[in-house]
Amino acid sequence: PQTRMTILNAGNVGIGTTAPTKHLHVSSSSETTMVVDGPNAANSSAYKWYTLGVEKAAASWGNTANALRIFTTTGNIGIYADNTSGRGITILSSSGNVGIGTTAPSYPLTVKSDTSAQGIRITTNTWTAGAAGSSLDLFFGATSGDICSQIQARDVGGLSNADLALQPYGGNVGIGTSTPSAKLAVYGDSILKG
């Protein structure tokens, strides 16, 4: 006969395995390992996590948004690529701010890099590095020389620079002012070179 469930002397329970390594160890040869079916479509709680008998987090499907919800009762939500704190996504429970690369985002979206390549790249769906597609790159700071931020449009997968249009559908551009009264309004010293 085939063994369906195993309970070891240590208390570990195995489903689909005769050598469970944790309190509950589920193993399957098919793509779907486990199915959770809730009592109703409106708000079906799937999982809850407790620490010393106190609920700390939960994941549920449904509610009015008809979506997967992951929430905590006391802390923030973190999704990390490894065990190094900060290398992932953090959502603060107090403000809803989202942080990428930081566990303390101070704005609705805060992006922080732990390498010299500090920036954000937005690409077209045809983007292939070094081959095709356009991108808009935002760089912050510099590895040497003057510290500055940069905005650069690129093409051909980053192999060439592209044109950048500001306010192509109308509106003024201001440098040093938040109320530009002309197409380009510069407040302060300026240098124009041909």
Side-chain angles (χ1 to χ4, degrees):
Q2 185 176 1
T3 302
R4 302 294 183 181
M5 177 183 292
T6 300
I7 303 178
L8 300 182
N9 292 333
N12 290 353
V13 177
I15 299 177
T17 176
T18 58
T21 58
K22 302 296 180 182
H23 293 309
L24 177 60
H25 186 160
V26 180
S27 179
S28 173
S29 59
S30 64
E31 294 183 359
T32 302
T33 302
M34 184 168 55
V35 175
V36 178
D37 194 354
N40 58 73
N43 190 7
S44 177
S45 295
Y47 298 98
K48 287 188 177 182
W49 289 268
Y50 287 75
T51 299
L52 300 177
V54 179
E55 182 182 341
K56 296 296 184 180
S60 67
W61 168 264
N63 206 2
T64 56
N66 196 32
L68 176 65
R69 300 188 304 155
I70 301 175
F71 53 93
T72 65
T73 59
T74 58
N76 306 321
I77 295 177
I79 303 174
Y80 304 111
D82 54 29
N83 291 328
T84 303
S85 179
R87 289 186 177 178
I89 301 173
T90 299
I91 304 176
L92 298 184
S93 60
S94 58
S95 61
N97 289 351
V98 177
I100 300 177
T102 175
T103 58
S106 54
Y107 292 91
L109 176 60
T110 302
V111 181
K112 180 181 179 181
S113 173
D114 60 356
T115 67
S116 60
Q118 301 181 27
I120 300 174
R121 169 167 287 169
I122 304 172
T123 71
T124 60
N125 62 350
T126 59
W127 173 268
T128 301
S134 303
S135 73
L136 178 65
D137 298 342
L138 308 177
F139 299 100
F140 310 103
T143 56
S144 62
D146 294 336
I147 302 300
C148 64
S149 296
Q150 307 170 40
I151 301 175
Q152 180 63 56
R154 298 187 186 277
D155 207 350
V156 196
L159 292 181
S160 64
N161 297 325
D163 296 333
L164 176 65
L166 299 178
Q167 301 284 53
Y169 304 111
N172 298 333
V173 175
I175 300 177
T177 175
S178 59
T179 56
S181 56
K183 290 296 182 181
L184 176 61
V186 180
Y187 280 59
D189 298 335
S190 62
I191 299 176
L192 298 178
K193 289 186 177 181

